[in-house]
Amino acid sequence: MQNLNISNAYPYFAETHHQTMTTGEEGQLQTFTYNDPTQPRVELSVPQLTIVEQPVDKFRFRYQSEMHGTHGSLMGVHTEKSKKTFPTVQLHGFQGEAKIRCSLFQVDPNRRAAHSHNLVIKSGEIDLNDPHDIDVNEECNYVAMFQGMGIIHTAKKNIAEELSKKMKKQRSVEMNRELTLREEYQLQKEAAEMAKTMNLNQVCLCFQAFQVDASTGRWAQLCEPVYSNPINNMKSALTGELKICRLSATVGNVDGGEEVFMFVEKVCK
């Protein structure tokens, strides 16, 4: 267990919150209390989500075949060696029980839709795919921190199918019912078309807030979703940092004029 001073890690809380939080084991979703009773609470007329801690901008997207053993999880942008942070959001202007949902989305602001890659959390030997939900209430100051998440790269041949599944689940929640056969067919066509131009090396996190009716099970969205900054695939030549693995020569003539070849690790095209 590790104590973190969130005033330093999260500038959003620097002026109004001075408590610490404790992180648990990776792979667990937890909520944390940041409330300072000596400071006024943020009051908004309507519910609103704010991102307290953005994710890191570069992360290794892995294929399912690489997910053996332990791999690093998606950290917060203010993570340091001595303290870890994770993507965190807070819900304002709402009272009662709510759910904060985190999903993997496409970065293009003109086409906000689910991404074919999977945002996973390891639970024992099982990988739980997104969406991931955290219950929040007044006790935790409506703050949700998402820990232990990894990004699984979907193979090109499976992009349309995976995208269709995600979009179907998303539409079902939005409409609070199952899709008709006609709607499902239309959605599959949309997914197939979208898969042709999807950026496979850049994603973002989508955070949504819901209230669930205990008697009917209906999900009501409380406010507009918020999207994180882009997360770039470290193994891509387009978005990652190339790592030099080998040089054809390590010394040279002072007069110059010699060719030196640099070889980098294998990257995704």
Side-chain angles (χ1 to χ4, degrees):
M1 303 288 283
Q2 180 183 7
N3 287 330
L4 307 180
N5 188 322
I6 67 167
S7 297
N8 295 329
Y10 301 149
Y12 182 85
F13 287 96
E15 297 180 0
T16 59
H17 296 74
H18 305 283
Q19 293 189 352
T20 60
M21 65 182 179
T22 304
T23 60
E25 298 296 326
E26 288 190 6
Q28 296 179 348
L29 299 180
Q30 300 183 8
T31 54
F32 297 79
T33 301
Y34 300 136
N35 190 34
D36 184 349
T38 65
Q39 299 292 337
R41 296 185 59 180
V42 177
E43 295 293 345
L44 298 176
S45 58
V46 294
Q48 179 179 331
L49 273 174
T50 58
I51 297 179
V52 177
E53 176 74 349
Q54 291 278 357
V56 292
D57 62 349
K58 289 184 175 62
F59 186 72
R60 170 80 179 272
F61 297 4
R62 297 183 181 274
Y63 285 96
Q64 188 64 49
S65 58
E66 299 179 277
M67 295 303 291
H68 298 293
T70 303
H71 297 289
S73 60
L74 185 64
M75 297 292 183
V77 70
H78 293 103
T79 286
E80 298 177 2
K81 287 185 178 180
S82 59
K83 58 184 178 183
K84 295 180 180 180
T85 64
F86 301 91
T88 306
V89 294
Q90 184 176 27
L91 176 64
H92 303 280
F94 177 78
Q95 292 184 340
E97 300 287 333
K99 287 184 181 291
I100 306 297
R101 169 164 288 187
C102 181
S103 311
L104 206 61
F105 264 56
Q106 299 176 52
V107 171
D108 187 352
N110 298 318
R111 188 173 63 180
R112 290 296 192 185
H115 201 286
S116 62
H117 295 344
N118 287 311
L119 188 66
V120 301
I121 291 179
K122 205 166 190 64
S123 177
E125 297 298 320
I126 302 174
D127 289 332
L128 304 177
N129 292 336
D130 58 316
H132 302 295
D133 301 322
I134 293 181
D135 294 323
V136 296
N137 51 39
E138 190 172 0
E139 291 183 5
C140 65
N141 206 25
Y142 296 95
V143 173
M145 175 185 291
F146 292 85
Q147 296 189 56
M149 299 190 298
I151 298 175
I152 300 296
H153 197 294
T154 300
K156 285 188 176 181
K157 63 180 181 179
N158 299 325
I159 290 176
E161 180 183 356
E162 193 65 36
L163 188 58
S164 179
K165 290 179 183 177
K166 284 192 166 188
M167 292 173 66
K168 179 182 177 181
K169 185 181 296 185
Q170 181 185 347
R171 296 276 176 87
S172 296
V173 171
E174 292 174 353
M175 302 170 72
N176 272 299
R177 63 172 175 81
E178 294 295 324
L179 272 63
T180 64
L181 291 177
R182 182 177 180 179
E183 289 170 336
E184 193 168 336
Y185 175 72
Q186 183 62 34
L187 185 144
Q188 290 174 353
K189 289 178 60 178
E190 290 179 26
E193 192 64 29
M194 194 177 294
K196 296 177 182 178
T197 57
M198 182 181 296
N199 187 340
L200 300 180
N201 291 304
Q202 200 173 52
V203 299
C204 71
L205 301 180
C206 171
F207 298 101
Q208 297 168 286
F210 294 93
Q211 184 179 31
V212 182
D213 190 315
S215 59
T216 64
R218 291 174 62 89
W219 287 55
Q221 189 160 316
L222 295 173
C223 57
E224 290 295 318
V226 292
Y227 304 93
S228 74
N229 294 335
I231 304 169
N232 301 293
N233 184 9
M234 289 179 64
K235 293 293 286 184
S236 168
L238 299 176
T239 58
E241 296 178 357
L242 299 182
K243 180 180 178 181
I244 299 174
C245 298
R246 184 180 174 188
L247 295 173
S248 62
T250 56
V251 295
N253 193 299
V254 294
D255 295 329
E258 299 179 9
E259 285 187 326
V260 177
F261 295 92
M262 295 186 295
F263 300 89
V264 300
E265 62 180 341
K266 185 177 179 180
V267 296
C268 302
K269 295 181 180 179

